[in-house]
Amino acid sequence: MLCVALALVGLVVALEPLPPVQWTRNNTSGNGFSLDGSPKTIYLDRIFADHVDTEGLTLIPPTAQEFAETFRQDLSQLFGADWKLETVDQFPPSGIFLGQFRGNGTQLAYENGVVTEEGYELEITGGSVFIGGTGSRGMFWGTRTLLQELLIANGTALSQKRTVDAPAYATRGYMLDAGRKWYTAGFLKELCTYASFFKMSEFHYHSSDNYPLNRGHNETWNEVFSHFSLYPEDPDLQGIIQRKNETLSRADFEDFQKHCAQRGVTVIPEIEAPGHCLAITKWKPELALPKKDLLNLTHPDAIPTVKAIWAEFLPWFQTKEVHIGADEYNATLADDYITFVNEMSDFVNEMSGKRIRIWGTNEPSENLTISKDIIIQHWQYGESDPVQLQDGSYSLINSEDWWAYMSLKNDHTPILPAPYPQFYNVTRTMNFANVDGWQWEPALFNPVNTTEQLVPGASGNRGAILAAWNDNGPDATTQLEAYYAMHDGIPVVAARAWSGARGPNITASTLSSTLAFLTLKAPGQNLDRRLSNPQTPSRASPLLSWSRTPSSPANVTLNHTSYGPPYTLTLHITAPFTLSGPDTSLHLQTTSSNATTLVFTTADNIPYPLRSVSESDARDPAHPGRIWTNLTSSSHAEVPIELPATLRIETDVVNGSRVWVDGEFKGRFEVFVFGGRNTVFSWSQMALVAPVGEVSGGVEGLVLEEGVGGKGGEGMPVSNAAGRGGGGGGVGMMAMVLGVLVAVLV
């Protein structure tokens, strides 16, 4: 056992922060810095405490003191003890010191030469650590590096070393489609917290959209799902809202923005027009073109309606830039489109002083051009060309779909030019254009003609944003499944956008273990839904076990909330029951044929009954979890449950939640998904978290274990950096091994 532990210690030492850091080591002998020997106080230079950045995109930039307070909370959570924050005029002999960059701050710049407030120095000497930022954000990013270094070292001594670090690009972002799936403010804040741990700088919030009109039974277009996720205070605009209970109020949204800003992340809100506009055209049908989710821009009320919506929400948006969508319109109406985009740019700027972004969309015109004041977010060749945009003096952002896009739960098959993975494809970042070892960075756009790229640090290139799309509608995923899809993409893209062409590459050989280790440790959030006080620290024992006794009340509180995959939940049931938590509930339900079946219901009230499938059907390696409807071995009928029974539910993010009844495989919880252009159909897996808050009814016993199939779990579909971004069994095993090591060392 000792030999194994020593080998694992060596493994952890081989891990690296994300983004990676270039260190210089001094020749000073003696010990470095250890939390054990340090005062449990963070010392902030008084001169820097009130410093506020001015060059970032947020209009609510935190002070250095506010960033330091976030760091204090994170340090306390990760390493215990009640850390204090003290503002001082002079640093004591030892401790953690925060302040201003001590060199010439103008020497720290993005790769395009623009000086940045995001740079920092981090120096570890005997008994102390100093972090100095060229701005408050730079100091905060330095604390992220320190936390990751301390985690990798398990809180033990850090060697004496120093780094001076700055991002290559200002835009290091991720986009979430909240127009075709509802996300709570709590989830959005947790996702922002997770991303900031890896130095992401932007959260692109896609607030409005509709289910594609080329999928499903859409003859009745006015019944197709559409969503606008912000609730207007003006009663005259509230006709745009389909589901009031699935909207954010102004207070909700401003709290969300403030939360993100406190962690260095700016929320970039998007309201879609003139395409993807079913929320508007269902409200005002007279504004629609024959393709009903497109606005008729020649209608006299069309542009005034869009302006009225923006006039309502612009005061909400605490950012210097906003996104108006403007993609996938009708190319035959190019002049109308370009006039609209330019007019909206002027309108937004005149009303708020903000600059707009649009998706790069091909609208050929011989008469008009898009204003150079507008930032183009490139997403696909044929829609825009990055080299032409750079040569034309546009500002642009790299969201090239080949590397950046996900279609949550199912890809677009058979829509061309390429399907999008349901989990972020790490391989395409680590091996750009399928070239082994050529790591993507934001200057790389074209995976086909590899000579057509921007030069590193091109003047117009703002950076990059990955994108998670809910093309399959509101019931195809849970809220947490969006996190599972982006789980690896966020740290990997953040690392490559930070390093660019000039910084260190990710170490491919340790990426799997680095991701498995660090992603579980990101402070201030619990998107993995781990128990805060498991029943026992021993990995050989269940996380939670409970048995009903004669004195047990009808409703029993388990003193937990939810537990996320990978897990195995075993229930001994004798009568109808409900197991509940904040994310899901699990209960027996009477079917239309008066049978009883097992149903998971999510917090947004979408039910998923247990359905009969063949255990082998969902094994298509190109489409994880997808069962095509032309397979005949799976009926997808609801599964009757006869009582009493022992239920075993095994859940991992690739295969979803599967059920065995009295030891026999019975099926899984799943969703029907329309295929691309209404030509192929399938059922897909649902990965549902275990509700462990309260139990009522006929549950006689409950056991919750980590992992599935007795193997310790097949965790996130992650870190198979040399293979397709959708597998993950080996990585889950690595996560388990690292978890064992942490338990041993702690």
PDB file of all heavy atoms in Angstrom, residues 79-97:
ATOM      1  N   PHE A  79      -8.962  24.671   2.166  1.00  0.00           N
ATOM      2  CA  PHE A  79      -7.898  24.190   3.059  1.00  0.00           C
ATOM      3  C   PHE A  79      -8.243  24.297   4.536  1.00  0.00           C
ATOM      4  O   PHE A  79      -7.392  24.018   5.379  1.00  0.00           O
ATOM      5  CB  PHE A  79      -6.598  24.955   2.769  1.00  0.00           C
ATOM      6  CG  PHE A  79      -6.105  24.749   1.375  1.00  0.00           C
ATOM      7  CD1 PHE A  79      -6.306  25.718   0.401  1.00  0.00           C
ATOM      8  CD2 PHE A  79      -5.484  23.564   1.005  1.00  0.00           C
ATOM      9  CE1 PHE A  79      -5.878  25.525  -0.900  1.00  0.00           C
ATOM     10  CE2 PHE A  79      -5.050  23.362  -0.292  1.00  0.00           C
ATOM     11  CZ  PHE A  79      -5.249  24.347  -1.252  1.00  0.00           C
ATOM     12  N   GLY A  80      -9.477  24.678   4.852  1.00  0.00           N
ATOM     13  CA  GLY A  80      -9.862  24.748   6.241  1.00  0.00           C
ATOM     14  C   GLY A  80      -9.302  25.979   6.929  1.00  0.00           C
ATOM     15  O   GLY A  80      -8.621  26.813   6.328  1.00  0.00           O
ATOM     16  N   ALA A  81      -9.596  26.107   8.194  1.00  0.00           N
ATOM     17  CA  ALA A  81      -9.195  27.243   9.028  1.00  0.00           C
ATOM     18  C   ALA A  81     -10.002  28.473   8.629  1.00  0.00           C
ATOM     19  O   ALA A  81     -10.495  28.584   7.506  1.00  0.00           O
ATOM     20  CB  ALA A  81      -7.701  27.531   8.938  1.00  0.00           C
ATOM     21  N   ASP A  82     -10.139  29.370   9.552  1.00  0.00           N
ATOM     22  CA  ASP A  82     -10.888  30.596   9.318  1.00  0.00           C
ATOM     23  C   ASP A  82      -9.904  31.689   8.944  1.00  0.00           C
ATOM     24  O   ASP A  82      -9.413  32.432   9.793  1.00  0.00           O
ATOM     25  CB  ASP A  82     -11.674  30.965  10.580  1.00  0.00           C
ATOM     26  CG  ASP A  82     -12.556  32.191  10.363  1.00  0.00           C
ATOM     27  OD1 ASP A  82     -12.782  32.547   9.195  1.00  0.00           O
ATOM     28  OD2 ASP A  82     -13.001  32.782  11.362  1.00  0.00           O
ATOM     29  N   TRP A  83      -9.598  31.762   7.646  1.00  0.00           N
ATOM     30  CA  TRP A  83      -8.632  32.748   7.184  1.00  0.00           C
ATOM     31  C   TRP A  83      -9.191  34.157   7.320  1.00  0.00           C
ATOM     32  O   TRP A  83     -10.389  34.394   7.142  1.00  0.00           O
ATOM     33  CB  TRP A  83      -8.248  32.474   5.729  1.00  0.00           C
ATOM     34  CG  TRP A  83      -7.290  31.328   5.594  1.00  0.00           C
ATOM     35  CD1 TRP A  83      -7.593  30.005   5.688  1.00  0.00           C
ATOM     36  CD2 TRP A  83      -5.893  31.403   5.365  1.00  0.00           C
ATOM     37  NE1 TRP A  83      -6.458  29.235   5.526  1.00  0.00           N
ATOM     38  CE2 TRP A  83      -5.398  30.069   5.322  1.00  0.00           C
ATOM     39  CE3 TRP A  83      -4.995  32.455   5.183  1.00  0.00           C
ATOM     40  CZ2 TRP A  83      -4.060  29.777   5.116  1.00  0.00           C
ATOM     41  CZ3 TRP A  83      -3.663  32.170   4.970  1.00  0.00           C
ATOM     42  CH2 TRP A  83      -3.198  30.847   4.944  1.00  0.00           C
ATOM     43  N   LYS A  84      -8.308  35.100   7.641  1.00  0.00           N
ATOM     44  CA  LYS A  84      -8.662  36.501   7.789  1.00  0.00           C
ATOM     45  C   LYS A  84      -8.042  37.302   6.652  1.00  0.00           C
ATOM     46  O   LYS A  84      -7.074  36.877   6.020  1.00  0.00           O
ATOM     47  CB  LYS A  84      -8.155  37.055   9.129  1.00  0.00           C
ATOM     48  CG  LYS A  84      -8.529  36.237  10.352  1.00  0.00           C
ATOM     49  CD  LYS A  84     -10.028  36.207  10.569  1.00  0.00           C
ATOM     50  CE  LYS A  84     -10.368  35.434  11.856  1.00  0.00           C
ATOM     51  NZ  LYS A  84     -11.838  35.292  12.032  1.00  0.00           N
ATOM     52  N   LEU A  85      -8.630  38.464   6.387  1.00  0.00           N
ATOM     53  CA  LEU A  85      -8.081  39.409   5.416  1.00  0.00           C
ATOM     54  C   LEU A  85      -7.771  40.699   6.155  1.00  0.00           C
ATOM     55  O   LEU A  85      -8.646  41.267   6.813  1.00  0.00           O
ATOM     56  CB  LEU A  85      -9.079  39.661   4.287  1.00  0.00           C
ATOM     57  CG  LEU A  85      -8.688  40.727   3.266  1.00  0.00           C
ATOM     58  CD1 LEU A  85      -7.414  40.332   2.517  1.00  0.00           C
ATOM     59  CD2 LEU A  85      -9.832  40.974   2.271  1.00  0.00           C
ATOM     60  N   GLU A  86      -6.537  41.158   6.037  1.00  0.00           N
ATOM     61  CA  GLU A  86      -6.109  42.361   6.749  1.00  0.00           C
ATOM     62  C   GLU A  86      -5.418  43.314   5.778  1.00  0.00           C
ATOM     63  O   GLU A  86      -4.553  42.897   4.997  1.00  0.00           O
ATOM     64  CB  GLU A  86      -5.151  41.986   7.888  1.00  0.00           C
ATOM     65  CG  GLU A  86      -4.725  43.151   8.747  1.00  0.00           C
ATOM     66  CD  GLU A  86      -3.833  42.725   9.904  1.00  0.00           C
ATOM     67  OE1 GLU A  86      -3.900  41.540  10.309  1.00  0.00           O
ATOM     68  OE2 GLU A  86      -3.047  43.568  10.383  1.00  0.00           O
ATOM     69  N   THR A  87      -5.825  44.564   5.800  1.00  0.00           N
ATOM     70  CA  THR A  87      -5.196  45.593   4.979  1.00  0.00           C
ATOM     71  C   THR A  87      -4.065  46.223   5.776  1.00  0.00           C
ATOM     72  O   THR A  87      -4.266  46.639   6.923  1.00  0.00           O
ATOM     73  CB  THR A  87      -6.221  46.666   4.578  1.00  0.00           C
ATOM     74  OG1 THR A  87      -7.331  46.033   3.936  1.00  0.00           O
ATOM     75  CG2 THR A  87      -5.613  47.676   3.620  1.00  0.00           C
ATOM     76  N   VAL A  88      -2.882  46.278   5.175  1.00  0.00           N
ATOM     77  CA  VAL A  88      -1.698  46.731   5.916  1.00  0.00           C
ATOM     78  C   VAL A  88      -0.909  47.746   5.097  1.00  0.00           C
ATOM     79  O   VAL A  88      -1.012  47.806   3.872  1.00  0.00           O
ATOM     80  CB  VAL A  88      -0.777  45.539   6.270  1.00  0.00           C
ATOM     81  CG1 VAL A  88      -1.492  44.568   7.205  1.00  0.00           C
ATOM     82  CG2 VAL A  88      -0.302  44.812   5.021  1.00  0.00           C
ATOM     83  N   ASP A  89      -0.117  48.533   5.817  1.00  0.00           N
ATOM     84  CA  ASP A  89       0.799  49.467   5.161  1.00  0.00           C
ATOM     85  C   ASP A  89       2.137  48.815   4.851  1.00  0.00           C
ATOM     86  O   ASP A  89       2.858  49.264   3.957  1.00  0.00           O
ATOM     87  CB  ASP A  89       1.023  50.693   6.050  1.00  0.00           C
ATOM     88  CG  ASP A  89      -0.252  51.492   6.239  1.00  0.00           C
ATOM     89  OD1 ASP A  89      -0.878  51.844   5.223  1.00  0.00           O
ATOM     90  OD2 ASP A  89      -0.624  51.753   7.399  1.00  0.00           O
ATOM     91  N   GLN A  90       2.457  47.767   5.614  1.00  0.00           N
ATOM     92  CA  GLN A  90       3.722  47.059   5.415  1.00  0.00           C
ATOM     93  C   GLN A  90       3.494  45.579   5.684  1.00  0.00           C
ATOM     94  O   GLN A  90       2.823  45.209   6.658  1.00  0.00           O
ATOM     95  CB  GLN A  90       4.797  47.616   6.352  1.00  0.00           C
ATOM     96  CG  GLN A  90       6.170  47.021   6.119  1.00  0.00           C
ATOM     97  CD  GLN A  90       7.235  47.718   6.974  1.00  0.00           C
ATOM     98  OE1 GLN A  90       6.974  48.720   7.622  1.00  0.00           O
ATOM     99  NE2 GLN A  90       8.439  47.174   6.962  1.00  0.00           N
ATOM    100  N   PHE A  91       4.051  44.742   4.823  1.00  0.00           N
ATOM    101  CA  PHE A  91       3.866  43.307   4.981  1.00  0.00           C
ATOM    102  C   PHE A  91       4.711  42.777   6.137  1.00  0.00           C
ATOM    103  O   PHE A  91       5.856  43.218   6.347  1.00  0.00           O
ATOM    104  CB  PHE A  91       4.250  42.564   3.700  1.00  0.00           C
ATOM    105  CG  PHE A  91       3.350  42.857   2.528  1.00  0.00           C
ATOM    106  CD1 PHE A  91       3.886  43.166   1.286  1.00  0.00           C
ATOM    107  CD2 PHE A  91       1.968  42.813   2.661  1.00  0.00           C
ATOM    108  CE1 PHE A  91       3.065  43.436   0.199  1.00  0.00           C
ATOM    109  CE2 PHE A  91       1.133  43.080   1.586  1.00  0.00           C
ATOM    110  CZ  PHE A  91       1.679  43.395   0.351  1.00  0.00           C
ATOM    111  N   PRO A  92       4.177  41.803   6.891  1.00  0.00           N
ATOM    112  CA  PRO A  92       4.962  41.161   7.950  1.00  0.00           C
ATOM    113  C   PRO A  92       6.018  40.230   7.348  1.00  0.00           C
ATOM    114  O   PRO A  92       6.095  40.066   6.124  1.00  0.00           O
ATOM    115  CB  PRO A  92       3.906  40.385   8.733  1.00  0.00           C
ATOM    116  CG  PRO A  92       2.821  40.115   7.751  1.00  0.00           C
ATOM    117  CD  PRO A  92       2.804  41.291   6.817  1.00  0.00           C
ATOM    118  N   PRO A  93       6.820  39.576   8.181  1.00  0.00           N
ATOM    119  CA  PRO A  93       7.898  38.711   7.650  1.00  0.00           C
ATOM    120  C   PRO A  93       7.407  37.512   6.858  1.00  0.00           C
ATOM    121  O   PRO A  93       8.108  37.034   5.966  1.00  0.00           O
ATOM    122  CB  PRO A  93       8.649  38.274   8.919  1.00  0.00           C
ATOM    123  CG  PRO A  93       8.328  39.309   9.933  1.00  0.00           C
ATOM    124  CD  PRO A  93       6.922  39.763   9.640  1.00  0.00           C
ATOM    125  N   SER A  94       6.223  36.980   7.189  1.00  0.00           N
ATOM    126  CA  SER A  94       5.754  35.787   6.486  1.00  0.00           C
ATOM    127  C   SER A  94       4.251  35.871   6.281  1.00  0.00           C
ATOM    128  O   SER A  94       3.553  36.607   6.977  1.00  0.00           O
ATOM    129  CB  SER A  94       6.103  34.515   7.278  1.00  0.00           C
ATOM    130  OG  SER A  94       5.432  34.521   8.538  1.00  0.00           O
ATOM    131  N   GLY A  95       3.764  35.090   5.272  1.00  0.00           N
ATOM    132  CA  GLY A  95       2.337  35.057   5.000  1.00  0.00           C
ATOM    133  C   GLY A  95       2.049  35.164   3.514  1.00  0.00           C
ATOM    134  O   GLY A  95       2.946  35.069   2.669  1.00  0.00           O
ATOM    135  N   ILE A  96       0.783  35.371   3.187  1.00  0.00           N
ATOM    136  CA  ILE A  96       0.345  35.576   1.809  1.00  0.00           C
ATOM    137  C   ILE A  96       0.089  37.060   1.619  1.00  0.00           C
ATOM    138  O   ILE A  96      -0.732  37.652   2.331  1.00  0.00           O
ATOM    139  CB  ILE A  96      -0.925  34.761   1.498  1.00  0.00           C
ATOM    140  CG1 ILE A  96      -0.651  33.258   1.636  1.00  0.00           C
ATOM    141  CG2 ILE A  96      -1.435  35.072   0.092  1.00  0.00           C
ATOM    142  CD1 ILE A  96      -1.865  32.382   1.433  1.00  0.00           C
ATOM    143  N   PHE A  97       0.781  37.666   0.656  1.00  0.00           N
ATOM    144  CA  PHE A  97       0.728  39.107   0.438  1.00  0.00           C
ATOM    145  C   PHE A  97       0.108  39.402  -0.935  1.00  0.00           C
ATOM    146  O   PHE A  97       0.488  38.788  -1.940  1.00  0.00           O
ATOM    147  CB  PHE A  97       2.129  39.722   0.494  1.00  0.00           C
ATOM    148  CG  PHE A  97       2.947  39.313   1.686  1.00  0.00           C
ATOM    149  CD1 PHE A  97       4.310  39.099   1.562  1.00  0.00           C
ATOM    150  CD2 PHE A  97       2.360  39.122   2.934  1.00  0.00           C
ATOM    151  CE1 PHE A  97       5.077  38.717   2.652  1.00  0.00           C
ATOM    152  CE2 PHE A  97       3.118  38.738   4.036  1.00  0.00           C
ATOM    153  CZ  PHE A  97       4.475  38.532   3.891  1.00  0.00           C
TER     154      PHE A  97
END
